[in-house]
Amino acid sequence: MPKTETFNRKEVLQKATQIFHKKGYNGTSMQDLVDATSLNRSSIYNSFGSKLNMFLEVLSFYQSYHNTNFSQGIANSYNATEAIETIFELNLNEILNDEDRKGCMIVNCKSEMVNQEPSIKSFMEKNQDRMIAMLEDIVYKGQMEKVFNHKQTASQYALYLFSSIQGLRMTGILNKNNEDLKNLINTVLKVLY
């Protein structure tokens, strides 16, 4: 019979997210996780199975939080233009509020782990596919509304926007100048009109 967890899993994931986000997967030790979560090693192993499994759950937790923010922002948009602008604005706000310059955990993980671990690569591929599909839907609607041009397909623009968002997140680690980043976003979005 499995043991019952005597801790709040969401709180533990929040604490583990902070340490993984700060140090990355390879830089985070089991002792860091013990210290951050106040769980002992056996509790971590019994509840998550391994550091890798815990990290995958942390990535899902982080992704879920951001998906909720993006979904709400898009749902409150009146049209495709507002939806795309909202996505970039949410990313810009995260950059400007990132006092420790940690960057986006998903983007950081992609550069650190995607070629080291098949389960991470699979997670990243699914995340990328989901994001590109969402952007493709928005661009397609914008093209049907005759707001966005048809010089490229919605699929091509979606990949371009996805790559631009990742580039923005990486740029924002070193450059937190609001005007520079807004100009960068405007340059990216001009391609659609």
Side-chain angles (χ1 to χ4, degrees), residues 63 67 106-107 110-111 114 120-136 155 158-166:
Q63 178 190 54
N67 287 350
I106 300 283
V107 174
K110 188 175 189 180
S111 64
V114 81
I120 299 288
K121 183 177 183 181
S122 176
F123 176 91
M124 290 299 168
E125 287 171 340
K126 289 174 187 167
N127 180 67
Q128 179 172 302
D129 291 347
R130 186 192 53 73
M131 286 293 297
I132 290 173
M134 176 192 68
L135 291 166
E136 185 175 352
S155 175
L159 180 58
Y160 163 75
L161 291 169
F162 178 75
S163 298
S164 298
I165 290 166
Q166 290 191 344

Side-chain angles (χ1 to χ4, degrees), residues 15-175:
K15 291 173 183 177
T17 298
Q18 290 173 357
I19 196 71
F20 276 127
H21 197 174
K22 181 178 179 181
K23 293 187 165 193
Y25 178 80
N26 291 314
T28 301
S29 68
M30 280 306 290
Q31 188 59 48
D32 291 328
L33 293 170
V34 167
D35 293 343
T37 63
S38 300
L39 296 177
N40 60 42
R41 288 172 194 261
S42 63
S43 292
I44 292 173
Y45 284 116
N46 288 337
S47 297
F48 297 96
S50 67
K51 176 181 159 185
L52 178 61
N53 288 345
M54 184 181 214
F55 185 65
L56 284 165
E57 198 166 329
V58 160
L59 285 175
S60 294
F61 179 78
Y62 181 88
Q63 178 190 54
S64 177
Y65 170 79
H66 286 84
N67 287 350
T68 300
N69 287 346
F70 285 126
S71 296
Q72 288 172 351
I74 292 167
N76 293 331
S77 301
Y78 293 105
N79 55 42
T81 302
E82 265 192 35
I84 292 291
E85 289 173 352
T86 295
I87 290 168
F88 276 89
E89 186 177 305
L90 288 169
N91 278 286
L92 175 62
N93 289 336
E94 285 190 10
I95 290 168
L96 297 176
N97 292 318
D98 181 9
E99 294 175 14
D100 297 329
R101 297 178 184 250
K102 294 183 305 275
C104 172
M105 187 173 182
I106 300 283
V107 174
N108 296 349
C109 176
K110 188 175 189 180
S111 64
E112 179 189 14
M113 292 292 297
V114 81
N115 291 321
Q116 293 181 29
E117 174 56 47
S119 58
I120 299 288
K121 183 177 183 181
S122 176
F123 176 91
M124 290 299 168
E125 287 171 340
K126 289 174 187 167
N127 180 67
Q128 179 172 302
D129 291 347
R130 186 192 53 73
M131 286 293 297
I132 290 173
M134 176 192 68
L135 291 166
E136 185 175 352
D137 267 358
I138 296 169
V139 171
Y140 180 77
K141 288 174 186 167
Q143 288 176 324
M144 293 302 100
E145 294 168 356
K146 301 199 183 310
V147 176
F148 299 153
N149 68 57
H150 289 271
K151 292 177 185 173
Q152 303 261 349
T153 66
S155 175
Q156 290 167 327
Y157 278 136
L159 180 58
Y160 163 75
L161 291 169
F162 178 75
S163 298
S164 298
I165 290 166
Q166 290 191 344
L168 175 69
R169 295 309 301 257
M170 291 302 291
T171 300
I173 292 172
L174 295 178
N175 184 342

